[in-house]
Amino acid sequence: MQQAGLIKIKANVKLPTVNDITANPKKIKIIEMEAPQTARALGNVTAALVGNDIAADAGLTEKQVIFKEKIDARSKRSINIIAANHADKNNKVYQKVVKAYQTAATEKLIKKVYKGMAFGVWTLDHA
């Protein structure tokens, strides 16, 4: 909502809540709820912030999107990663898994499964 210019949030808050809102000039009534409930709430609210995996499961499409969050420093908490123990970071098998995953075919499948609302972050120049 901050990226859309609707609210302002305290700086340096990793997981903001309504208590971290410093400005709400449009006086939007904000109701916090568990992420899986956001798509279901659409029948009872004017708008909802719905994560892409939940939107896909709920059958929402990109045509229903009124604002799409831009990738920035705050987005990092939402990026899925392939991780290993530090001692295994150079493990050839794990590196092959990453290479096999980060392909055009996987990117195409992600776009299909998430109906265009997700993408392989490895495709970004600044990721």
Side-chain angles (χ1 to χ4, degrees), residues 6-75:
L6 300 173
I7 63 171
K8 289 190 180 180
I9 299 172
K10 292 177 192 170
N12 301 319
V13 176
K14 291 186 180 189
L15 294 172
T17 69
V18 293
N19 296 327
D20 298 307
I21 297 171
T22 60
N24 182 353
K26 303 217 181 272
K27 305 208 183 320
I28 297 169
K29 181 179 178 184
I30 299 170
I31 302 167
E32 289 181 299
M33 63 182 63
E34 294 293 323
Q37 301 303 316
T38 56
R40 290 184 187 151
L42 279 170
N44 300 310
V45 298
T46 305
L49 303 177
V50 183
N52 61 346
D53 54 340
I54 294 165
D57 287 346
L60 301 175
T61 67
E62 194 165 17
K63 290 180 182 177
Q64 294 168 284
V65 173
I66 58 175
F67 181 81
K68 192 183 285 189
E69 182 179 28
K70 293 175 179 61
I71 302 297
D72 66 9
R74 283 188 181 247
S75 305

Short mmCIF file of all heavy atoms in Angstrom, two decimals, residues 6-75:
data_model
loop_
_atom_site.label_atom_id
_atom_site.label_comp_id
_atom_site.label_asym_id
_atom_site.label_seq_id
_atom_site.Cartn_x
_atom_site.Cartn_y
_atom_site.Cartn_z
N LEU A 6 -0.75 4.95 -0.90
CA LEU A 6 -1.96 5.03 -0.08
C LEU A 6 -1.67 5.24 1.39
O LEU A 6 -2.48 5.84 2.10
CB LEU A 6 -2.79 3.75 -0.26
CG LEU A 6 -3.25 3.48 -1.70
CD1 LEU A 6 -3.90 2.12 -1.79
CD2 LEU A 6 -4.20 4.59 -2.16
N ILE A 7 -0.55 4.73 1.87
CA ILE A 7 -0.16 4.88 3.27
C ILE A 7 1.34 5.13 3.35
O ILE A 7 2.05 4.96 2.36
CB ILE A 7 -0.51 3.63 4.12
CG1 ILE A 7 0.27 2.40 3.61
CG2 ILE A 7 -2.01 3.39 4.16
CD1 ILE A 7 0.16 1.19 4.50
N LYS A 8 1.79 5.49 4.54
CA LYS A 8 3.23 5.56 4.83
C LYS A 8 3.49 4.71 6.05
O LYS A 8 2.68 4.67 6.98
CB LYS A 8 3.67 7.00 5.06
CG LYS A 8 3.65 7.82 3.79
CD LYS A 8 4.30 9.16 3.98
CE LYS A 8 4.23 9.90 2.63
NZ LYS A 8 4.83 11.20 2.71
N ILE A 9 4.63 4.03 6.02
CA ILE A 9 5.02 3.13 7.09
C ILE A 9 6.33 3.60 7.69
O ILE A 9 7.19 4.14 6.99
CB ILE A 9 5.17 1.69 6.55
CG1 ILE A 9 3.84 1.21 5.99
CG2 ILE A 9 5.68 0.73 7.61
CD1 ILE A 9 3.93 -0.11 5.26
N LYS A 10 6.50 3.37 9.00
CA LYS A 10 7.76 3.70 9.68
C LYS A 10 8.93 3.08 8.91
O LYS A 10 8.81 1.96 8.40
CB LYS A 10 7.77 3.13 11.10
CG LYS A 10 6.81 3.76 12.04
CD LYS A 10 6.87 3.04 13.39
CE LYS A 10 5.72 3.46 14.27
NZ LYS A 10 5.63 2.62 15.48
N ALA A 11 10.03 3.76 8.87
CA ALA A 11 11.23 3.25 8.19
C ALA A 11 11.82 2.08 8.97
O ALA A 11 11.67 1.97 10.18
CB ALA A 11 12.27 4.36 8.06
N ASN A 12 12.49 1.21 8.25
CA ASN A 12 13.25 0.09 8.82
C ASN A 12 12.40 -0.92 9.60
O ASN A 12 12.90 -1.55 10.52
CB ASN A 12 14.40 0.60 9.69
CG ASN A 12 15.35 1.48 8.91
OD1 ASN A 12 15.67 1.18 7.76
ND2 ASN A 12 15.77 2.57 9.50
N VAL A 13 11.14 -1.07 9.25
CA VAL A 13 10.30 -2.08 9.86
C VAL A 13 10.23 -3.25 8.90
O VAL A 13 9.80 -3.09 7.76
CB VAL A 13 8.87 -1.53 10.15
CG1 VAL A 13 7.98 -2.63 10.71
CG2 VAL A 13 8.94 -0.35 11.10
N LYS A 14 10.68 -4.42 9.35
CA LYS A 14 10.77 -5.57 8.45
C LYS A 14 9.41 -6.16 8.10
O LYS A 14 9.14 -6.48 6.96
CB LYS A 14 11.68 -6.64 9.04
CG LYS A 14 13.13 -6.22 9.06
CD LYS A 14 14.02 -7.33 9.51
CE LYS A 14 15.45 -6.82 9.52
NZ LYS A 14 16.42 -7.86 9.73
N LEU A 15 8.56 -6.35 9.06
CA LEU A 15 7.23 -6.90 8.84
C LEU A 15 6.19 -5.94 9.43
O LEU A 15 5.72 -6.13 10.54
CB LEU A 15 7.10 -8.29 9.47
CG LEU A 15 7.97 -9.37 8.86
CD1 LEU A 15 7.93 -10.65 9.69
CD2 LEU A 15 7.55 -9.66 7.43
N PRO A 16 5.85 -4.91 8.69
CA PRO A 16 4.95 -3.88 9.25
C PRO A 16 3.54 -4.39 9.54
O PRO A 16 3.04 -5.30 8.87
CB PRO A 16 4.93 -2.81 8.16
CG PRO A 16 5.41 -3.46 6.92
CD PRO A 16 6.23 -4.63 7.32
N THR A 17 2.95 -3.80 10.55
CA THR A 17 1.56 -4.06 10.91
C THR A 17 0.83 -2.71 10.84
O THR A 17 1.45 -1.68 10.57
CB THR A 17 1.43 -4.62 12.34
OG1 THR A 17 1.79 -3.60 13.28
CG2 THR A 17 2.31 -5.85 12.53
N VAL A 18 -0.45 -2.73 11.12
CA VAL A 18 -1.20 -1.47 11.11
C VAL A 18 -0.63 -0.48 12.13
O VAL A 18 -0.76 0.74 11.95
CB VAL A 18 -2.71 -1.67 11.35
CG1 VAL A 18 -3.35 -2.40 10.20
CG2 VAL A 18 -2.98 -2.39 12.64
N ASN A 19 0.01 -0.98 13.16
CA ASN A 19 0.61 -0.09 14.18
C ASN A 19 1.81 0.68 13.66
O ASN A 19 2.26 1.63 14.29
CB ASN A 19 1.01 -0.90 15.42
CG ASN A 19 -0.20 -1.51 16.11
OD1 ASN A 19 -1.28 -0.94 16.11
ND2 ASN A 19 -0.01 -2.69 16.68
N ASP A 20 2.35 0.26 12.51
CA ASP A 20 3.52 0.93 11.93
C ASP A 20 3.15 1.96 10.86
O ASP A 20 4.01 2.57 10.26
CB ASP A 20 4.46 -0.12 11.33
CG ASP A 20 4.98 -1.08 12.38
OD1 ASP A 20 5.51 -0.60 13.40
OD2 ASP A 20 4.83 -2.30 12.19
N ILE A 21 1.86 2.16 10.64
CA ILE A 21 1.41 3.15 9.66
C ILE A 21 1.54 4.54 10.28
O ILE A 21 1.03 4.80 11.37
CB ILE A 21 -0.05 2.89 9.24
CG1 ILE A 21 -0.14 1.53 8.53
CG2 ILE A 21 -0.57 4.01 8.34
CD1 ILE A 21 -1.56 1.06 8.26
N THR A 22 2.24 5.41 9.58
CA THR A 22 2.42 6.79 10.07
C THR A 22 1.52 7.78 9.36
O THR A 22 1.31 8.88 9.85
CB THR A 22 3.89 7.23 9.90
OG1 THR A 22 4.23 7.18 8.51
CG2 THR A 22 4.83 6.35 10.71
N ALA A 23 0.99 7.41 8.21
CA ALA A 23 0.08 8.28 7.48
C ALA A 23 -0.90 7.43 6.67
O ALA A 23 -0.51 6.45 6.05
CB ALA A 23 0.84 9.22 6.56
N ASN A 24 -2.17 7.83 6.71
CA ASN A 24 -3.23 7.16 5.97
C ASN A 24 -4.18 8.26 5.49
O ASN A 24 -5.30 8.39 5.97
CB ASN A 24 -3.95 6.16 6.89
CG ASN A 24 -5.04 5.37 6.20
OD1 ASN A 24 -5.38 5.63 5.05
ND2 ASN A 24 -5.61 4.42 6.92
N PRO A 25 -3.70 9.11 4.55
CA PRO A 25 -4.47 10.29 4.16
C PRO A 25 -5.84 10.00 3.57
O PRO A 25 -6.74 10.83 3.65
CB PRO A 25 -3.57 10.98 3.13
CG PRO A 25 -2.63 9.93 2.65
CD PRO A 25 -2.47 8.97 3.78
N LYS A 26 -6.04 8.83 3.00
CA LYS A 26 -7.34 8.49 2.42
C LYS A 26 -8.26 7.83 3.45
O LYS A 26 -9.37 7.44 3.15
CB LYS A 26 -7.16 7.58 1.21
CG LYS A 26 -6.28 8.22 0.15
CD LYS A 26 -6.74 7.89 -1.22
CE LYS A 26 -5.84 8.50 -2.26
NZ LYS A 26 -6.20 9.83 -2.64
N LYS A 27 -7.74 7.69 4.68
CA LYS A 27 -8.48 7.10 5.79
C LYS A 27 -9.06 5.71 5.44
O LYS A 27 -10.22 5.41 5.71
CB LYS A 27 -9.57 8.05 6.27
CG LYS A 27 -9.02 9.43 6.64
CD LYS A 27 -9.82 10.10 7.65
CE LYS A 27 -9.35 11.50 8.00
NZ LYS A 27 -7.99 11.77 8.11
N ILE A 28 -8.20 4.90 4.84
CA ILE A 28 -8.59 3.54 4.46
C ILE A 28 -8.71 2.69 5.72
O ILE A 28 -7.82 2.71 6.57
CB ILE A 28 -7.54 2.93 3.50
CG1 ILE A 28 -7.48 3.75 2.21
CG2 ILE A 28 -7.83 1.47 3.23
CD1 ILE A 28 -6.31 3.42 1.32
N LYS A 29 -9.82 1.97 5.84
CA LYS A 29 -9.99 1.05 6.95
C LYS A 29 -9.19 -0.21 6.63
O LYS A 29 -9.48 -0.90 5.65
CB LYS A 29 -11.46 0.71 7.16
CG LYS A 29 -11.68 -0.22 8.33
CD LYS A 29 -13.16 -0.51 8.54
CE LYS A 29 -13.34 -1.48 9.69
NZ LYS A 29 -14.75 -1.85 9.84
N ILE A 30 -8.20 -0.50 7.43
CA ILE A 30 -7.32 -1.64 7.18
C ILE A 30 -7.59 -2.71 8.24
O ILE A 30 -7.54 -2.44 9.43
CB ILE A 30 -5.83 -1.20 7.22
CG1 ILE A 30 -5.59 -0.16 6.12
CG2 ILE A 30 -4.91 -2.40 7.07
CD1 ILE A 30 -4.25 0.52 6.19
N ILE A 31 -7.87 -3.90 7.76
CA ILE A 31 -8.14 -5.04 8.64
C ILE A 31 -7.04 -6.06 8.41
O ILE A 31 -6.88 -6.56 7.29
CB ILE A 31 -9.52 -5.66 8.32
CG1 ILE A 31 -10.62 -4.62 8.47
CG2 ILE A 31 -9.77 -6.88 9.21
CD1 ILE A 31 -11.95 -5.06 7.88
N GLU A 32 -6.30 -6.38 9.46
CA GLU A 32 -5.26 -7.39 9.34
C GLU A 32 -5.90 -8.78 9.43
O GLU A 32 -6.83 -8.98 10.21
CB GLU A 32 -4.21 -7.25 10.45
CG GLU A 32 -3.34 -6.03 10.29
CD GLU A 32 -2.31 -5.93 11.39
OE1 GLU A 32 -2.69 -5.82 12.57
OE2 GLU A 32 -1.12 -5.94 11.06
N MET A 33 -5.41 -9.69 8.60
CA MET A 33 -5.90 -11.07 8.64
C MET A 33 -4.79 -11.99 8.16
O MET A 33 -3.83 -11.54 7.54
CB MET A 33 -7.17 -11.23 7.81
CG MET A 33 -7.00 -10.96 6.32
SD MET A 33 -8.53 -11.11 5.37
CE MET A 33 -9.55 -9.84 6.07
N GLU A 34 -4.95 -13.26 8.44
CA GLU A 34 -3.99 -14.25 7.97
C GLU A 34 -4.00 -14.27 6.44
O GLU A 34 -5.06 -14.17 5.82
CB GLU A 34 -4.34 -15.64 8.51
CG GLU A 34 -4.19 -15.76 10.02
CD GLU A 34 -2.76 -15.66 10.48
OE1 GLU A 34 -1.86 -16.16 9.78
OE2 GLU A 34 -2.53 -15.06 11.55
N ALA A 35 -2.85 -14.41 5.83
CA ALA A 35 -2.71 -14.36 4.38
C ALA A 35 -3.69 -15.27 3.64
O ALA A 35 -4.30 -14.85 2.65
CB ALA A 35 -1.27 -14.67 3.98
N PRO A 36 -3.90 -16.52 4.08
CA PRO A 36 -4.81 -17.39 3.33
C PRO A 36 -6.26 -16.89 3.29
O PRO A 36 -7.05 -17.33 2.46
CB PRO A 36 -4.73 -18.73 4.08
CG PRO A 36 -3.40 -18.70 4.75
CD PRO A 36 -3.19 -17.27 5.13
N GLN A 37 -6.62 -15.97 4.17
CA GLN A 37 -7.99 -15.46 4.22
C GLN A 37 -8.23 -14.28 3.27
O GLN A 37 -9.37 -13.92 3.00
CB GLN A 37 -8.34 -15.03 5.65
CG GLN A 37 -8.23 -16.14 6.66
CD GLN A 37 -9.09 -17.34 6.31
OE1 GLN A 37 -10.25 -17.19 5.93
NE2 GLN A 37 -8.54 -18.53 6.42
N THR A 38 -7.16 -13.68 2.75
CA THR A 38 -7.31 -12.45 1.98
C THR A 38 -8.13 -12.62 0.72
O THR A 38 -9.00 -11.79 0.43
CB THR A 38 -5.93 -11.86 1.63
OG1 THR A 38 -5.15 -12.85 0.93
CG2 THR A 38 -5.18 -11.40 2.87
N ALA A 39 -7.92 -13.67 -0.04
CA ALA A 39 -8.69 -13.87 -1.27
C ALA A 39 -10.15 -14.15 -0.94
O ALA A 39 -11.05 -13.66 -1.62
CB ALA A 39 -8.09 -15.00 -2.10
N ARG A 40 -10.38 -14.91 0.12
CA ARG A 40 -11.76 -15.21 0.53
C ARG A 40 -12.50 -13.96 0.97
O ARG A 40 -13.72 -13.88 0.85
CB ARG A 40 -11.77 -16.22 1.67
CG ARG A 40 -11.35 -17.59 1.25
CD ARG A 40 -11.47 -18.56 2.41
NE ARG A 40 -10.90 -19.84 2.02
CZ ARG A 40 -10.36 -20.67 2.87
NH1 ARG A 40 -10.31 -20.39 4.15
NH2 ARG A 40 -9.88 -21.81 2.45
N ALA A 41 -11.78 -13.00 1.50
CA ALA A 41 -12.40 -11.78 2.01
C ALA A 41 -12.88 -10.85 0.90
O ALA A 41 -13.65 -9.93 1.16
CB ALA A 41 -11.41 -11.04 2.92
N LEU A 42 -12.45 -11.08 -0.33
CA LEU A 42 -12.80 -10.17 -1.43
C LEU A 42 -14.30 -9.94 -1.58
O LEU A 42 -14.72 -8.89 -2.03
CB LEU A 42 -12.18 -10.64 -2.75
CG LEU A 42 -10.72 -10.26 -2.94
CD1 LEU A 42 -10.13 -10.97 -4.15
CD2 LEU A 42 -10.57 -8.77 -3.06
N GLY A 43 -15.11 -10.89 -1.21
CA GLY A 43 -16.56 -10.71 -1.30
C GLY A 43 -17.12 -9.78 -0.25
O GLY A 43 -18.25 -9.31 -0.35
N ASN A 44 -16.31 -9.47 0.77
CA ASN A 44 -16.78 -8.65 1.89
C ASN A 44 -16.03 -7.34 2.07
O ASN A 44 -16.34 -6.58 2.99
CB ASN A 44 -16.67 -9.46 3.19
CG ASN A 44 -17.50 -10.72 3.13
OD1 ASN A 44 -18.66 -10.69 2.77
ND2 ASN A 44 -16.89 -11.84 3.45
N VAL A 45 -15.04 -7.08 1.23
CA VAL A 45 -14.25 -5.86 1.34
C VAL A 45 -14.12 -5.22 -0.03
O VAL A 45 -14.39 -5.84 -1.06
CB VAL A 45 -12.83 -6.15 1.92
CG1 VAL A 45 -12.91 -6.72 3.33
CG2 VAL A 45 -12.04 -7.09 1.02
N THR A 46 -13.70 -3.97 -0.05
CA THR A 46 -13.52 -3.27 -1.31
C THR A 46 -12.30 -3.77 -2.07
O THR A 46 -12.31 -3.90 -3.29
CB THR A 46 -13.39 -1.75 -1.05
OG1 THR A 46 -14.55 -1.33 -0.31
CG2 THR A 46 -13.31 -0.99 -2.35
N ALA A 47 -11.22 -4.05 -1.34
CA ALA A 47 -9.98 -4.53 -1.94
C ALA A 47 -9.21 -5.33 -0.90
O ALA A 47 -9.46 -5.20 0.30
CB ALA A 47 -9.13 -3.35 -2.42
N ALA A 48 -8.27 -6.15 -1.37
CA ALA A 48 -7.46 -6.94 -0.46
C ALA A 48 -6.06 -7.07 -1.02
O ALA A 48 -5.86 -7.07 -2.24
CB ALA A 48 -8.07 -8.33 -0.26
N LEU A 49 -5.08 -7.20 -0.13
CA LEU A 49 -3.71 -7.48 -0.52
C LEU A 49 -3.56 -8.99 -0.51
O LEU A 49 -3.65 -9.61 0.54
CB LEU A 49 -2.72 -6.84 0.46
CG LEU A 49 -2.85 -5.34 0.65
CD1 LEU A 49 -1.87 -4.85 1.71
CD2 LEU A 49 -2.62 -4.62 -0.65
N VAL A 50 -3.37 -9.58 -1.68
CA VAL A 50 -3.36 -11.03 -1.82
C VAL A 50 -2.02 -11.45 -2.43
O VAL A 50 -1.65 -10.98 -3.50
CB VAL A 50 -4.53 -11.51 -2.73
CG1 VAL A 50 -4.55 -13.02 -2.82
CG2 VAL A 50 -5.86 -10.97 -2.22
N GLY A 51 -1.33 -12.34 -1.74
CA GLY A 51 -0.08 -12.87 -2.27
C GLY A 51 -0.31 -13.69 -3.52
O GLY A 51 -1.38 -14.27 -3.70
N ASN A 52 0.70 -13.77 -4.39
CA ASN A 52 0.51 -14.43 -5.68
C ASN A 52 0.16 -15.90 -5.58
O ASN A 52 -0.62 -16.40 -6.36
CB ASN A 52 1.72 -14.21 -6.60
CG ASN A 52 2.99 -14.76 -6.02
OD1 ASN A 52 3.07 -15.09 -4.85
ND2 ASN A 52 4.01 -14.87 -6.84
N ASP A 53 0.72 -16.63 -4.61
CA ASP A 53 0.39 -18.04 -4.50
C ASP A 53 -1.06 -18.22 -4.05
O ASP A 53 -1.77 -19.09 -4.55
CB ASP A 53 1.36 -18.77 -3.56
CG ASP A 53 1.48 -18.12 -2.20
OD1 ASP A 53 1.15 -16.93 -2.05
OD2 ASP A 53 1.92 -18.82 -1.26
N ILE A 54 -1.51 -17.37 -3.16
CA ILE A 54 -2.89 -17.43 -2.69
C ILE A 54 -3.84 -17.00 -3.80
O ILE A 54 -4.90 -17.60 -4.01
CB ILE A 54 -3.07 -16.57 -1.43
CG1 ILE A 54 -2.25 -17.20 -0.28
CG2 ILE A 54 -4.54 -16.43 -1.05
CD1 ILE A 54 -2.03 -16.31 0.89
N ALA A 55 -3.46 -15.98 -4.55
CA ALA A 55 -4.28 -15.52 -5.68
C ALA A 55 -4.44 -16.63 -6.71
O ALA A 55 -5.55 -16.86 -7.22
CB ALA A 55 -3.64 -14.29 -6.31
N ALA A 56 -3.37 -17.33 -7.01
CA ALA A 56 -3.44 -18.42 -7.99
C ALA A 56 -4.34 -19.53 -7.49
O ALA A 56 -5.19 -20.04 -8.23
CB ALA A 56 -2.04 -18.95 -8.30
N ASP A 57 -4.19 -19.91 -6.22
CA ASP A 57 -5.03 -20.97 -5.65
C ASP A 57 -6.50 -20.57 -5.64
O ASP A 57 -7.38 -21.41 -5.76
CB ASP A 57 -4.59 -21.30 -4.22
CG ASP A 57 -3.28 -22.07 -4.16
OD1 ASP A 57 -2.84 -22.58 -5.22
OD2 ASP A 57 -2.70 -22.17 -3.07
N ALA A 58 -6.77 -19.27 -5.48
CA ALA A 58 -8.15 -18.78 -5.43
C ALA A 58 -8.73 -18.55 -6.82
O ALA A 58 -9.89 -18.18 -6.96
CB ALA A 58 -8.20 -17.48 -4.63
N GLY A 59 -7.92 -18.75 -7.86
CA GLY A 59 -8.41 -18.56 -9.23
C GLY A 59 -8.43 -17.11 -9.69
O GLY A 59 -9.02 -16.79 -10.71
N LEU A 60 -7.76 -16.23 -8.94
CA LEU A 60 -7.68 -14.83 -9.37
C LEU A 60 -6.72 -14.72 -10.55
O LEU A 60 -5.78 -15.50 -10.66
CB LEU A 60 -7.22 -13.94 -8.22
CG LEU A 60 -8.11 -13.96 -6.97
CD1 LEU A 60 -7.48 -13.14 -5.85
CD2 LEU A 60 -9.50 -13.47 -7.28
N THR A 61 -6.94 -13.76 -11.40
CA THR A 61 -6.08 -13.60 -12.58
C THR A 61 -5.45 -12.22 -12.59
O THR A 61 -5.88 -11.32 -11.85
CB THR A 61 -6.89 -13.77 -13.88
OG1 THR A 61 -7.82 -12.68 -13.98
CG2 THR A 61 -7.63 -15.10 -13.91
N GLU A 62 -4.46 -12.07 -13.45
CA GLU A 62 -3.77 -10.78 -13.56
C GLU A 62 -4.73 -9.66 -13.98
O GLU A 62 -4.51 -8.51 -13.63
CB GLU A 62 -2.60 -10.89 -14.52
CG GLU A 62 -1.66 -9.72 -14.43
CD GLU A 62 -0.33 -9.97 -15.10
OE1 GLU A 62 -0.20 -10.88 -15.91
OE2 GLU A 62 0.59 -9.19 -14.81
N LYS A 63 -5.79 -9.99 -14.67
CA LYS A 63 -6.78 -8.98 -15.08
C LYS A 63 -7.48 -8.35 -13.87
O LYS A 63 -8.01 -7.25 -13.97
CB LYS A 63 -7.82 -9.59 -16.01
CG LYS A 63 -7.27 -9.95 -17.37
CD LYS A 63 -8.33 -10.55 -18.25
CE LYS A 63 -7.72 -10.93 -19.59
NZ LYS A 63 -8.70 -11.57 -20.47
N GLN A 64 -7.47 -9.04 -12.74
CA GLN A 64 -8.11 -8.52 -11.53
C GLN A 64 -7.18 -7.66 -10.68
O GLN A 64 -7.62 -7.06 -9.72
CB GLN A 64 -8.66 -9.69 -10.71
CG GLN A 64 -9.79 -10.42 -11.41
CD GLN A 64 -10.13 -11.73 -10.74
OE1 GLN A 64 -9.41 -12.70 -10.88
NE2 GLN A 64 -11.23 -11.73 -10.00
N VAL A 65 -5.92 -7.61 -11.05
CA VAL A 65 -4.93 -6.85 -10.28
C VAL A 65 -5.16 -5.35 -10.49
O VAL A 65 -5.28 -4.88 -11.61
CB VAL A 65 -3.50 -7.22 -10.74
CG1 VAL A 65 -2.47 -6.32 -10.09
CG2 VAL A 65 -3.21 -8.68 -10.43
N ILE A 66 -5.23 -4.61 -9.39
CA ILE A 66 -5.34 -3.15 -9.50
C ILE A 66 -4.01 -2.47 -9.19
O ILE A 66 -3.81 -1.32 -9.52
CB ILE A 66 -6.47 -2.57 -8.62
CG1 ILE A 66 -6.26 -2.92 -7.15
CG2 ILE A 66 -7.82 -3.06 -9.11
CD1 ILE A 66 -7.26 -2.27 -6.20
N PHE A 67 -3.09 -3.20 -8.56
CA PHE A 67 -1.74 -2.69 -8.31
C PHE A 67 -0.82 -3.88 -8.10
O PHE A 67 -1.18 -4.83 -7.40
CB PHE A 67 -1.70 -1.79 -7.07
CG PHE A 67 -0.33 -1.22 -6.80
CD1 PHE A 67 0.12 -0.11 -7.49
CD2 PHE A 67 0.51 -1.81 -5.87
CE1 PHE A 67 1.39 0.40 -7.26
CE2 PHE A 67 1.78 -1.31 -5.64
CZ PHE A 67 2.21 -0.19 -6.33
N LYS A 68 0.34 -3.84 -8.71
CA LYS A 68 1.34 -4.90 -8.55
C LYS A 68 2.58 -4.31 -7.90
O LYS A 68 3.14 -3.35 -8.40
CB LYS A 68 1.69 -5.51 -9.92
CG LYS A 68 2.49 -6.79 -9.80
CD LYS A 68 2.89 -7.34 -11.14
CE LYS A 68 1.71 -7.97 -11.83
NZ LYS A 68 2.12 -8.70 -13.05
N GLU A 69 2.97 -4.89 -6.78
CA GLU A 69 4.13 -4.43 -6.04
C GLU A 69 5.40 -4.54 -6.88
O GLU A 69 5.62 -5.54 -7.56
CB GLU A 69 4.27 -5.30 -4.78
CG GLU A 69 5.39 -4.92 -3.87
CD GLU A 69 5.44 -5.81 -2.63
OE1 GLU A 69 5.00 -6.97 -2.70
OE2 GLU A 69 5.93 -5.32 -1.62
N LYS A 70 6.22 -3.51 -6.83
CA LYS A 70 7.51 -3.54 -7.52
C LYS A 70 8.53 -4.24 -6.62
O LYS A 70 8.44 -4.18 -5.41
CB LYS A 70 7.98 -2.11 -7.82
CG LYS A 70 7.12 -1.39 -8.84
CD LYS A 70 7.56 0.06 -8.99
CE LYS A 70 6.76 0.80 -10.00
NZ LYS A 70 5.34 0.90 -9.72
N ILE A 71 9.49 -4.91 -7.25
CA ILE A 71 10.54 -5.57 -6.50
C ILE A 71 11.50 -4.50 -5.97
O ILE A 71 12.02 -3.69 -6.72
CB ILE A 71 11.31 -6.57 -7.39
CG1 ILE A 71 10.36 -7.60 -7.97
CG2 ILE A 71 12.45 -7.21 -6.64
CD1 ILE A 71 9.69 -8.49 -6.96
N ASP A 72 11.70 -4.49 -4.66
CA ASP A 72 12.63 -3.57 -4.03
C ASP A 72 13.21 -4.23 -2.77
O ASP A 72 13.00 -5.43 -2.56
CB ASP A 72 11.97 -2.21 -3.72
CG ASP A 72 10.88 -2.29 -2.66
OD1 ASP A 72 10.71 -3.36 -2.02
OD2 ASP A 72 10.19 -1.29 -2.45
N ALA A 73 13.90 -3.47 -1.95
CA ALA A 73 14.54 -4.04 -0.77
C ALA A 73 13.53 -4.71 0.16
O ALA A 73 13.81 -5.76 0.75
CB ALA A 73 15.31 -2.96 -0.01
N ARG A 74 12.34 -4.16 0.30
CA ARG A 74 11.31 -4.76 1.17
C ARG A 74 10.79 -6.07 0.59
O ARG A 74 10.27 -6.91 1.33
CB ARG A 74 10.15 -3.80 1.38
CG ARG A 74 10.45 -2.71 2.36
CD ARG A 74 9.17 -1.92 2.64
NE ARG A 74 9.43 -0.86 3.56
CZ ARG A 74 8.95 -0.80 4.79
NH1 ARG A 74 8.18 -1.74 5.23
NH2 ARG A 74 9.25 0.20 5.58
N SER A 75 10.88 -6.25 -0.71
CA SER A 75 10.36 -7.46 -1.35
C SER A 75 11.20 -8.69 -1.03
O SER A 75 10.72 -9.81 -1.20
CB SER A 75 10.33 -7.29 -2.87
OG SER A 75 9.61 -6.15 -3.23
#
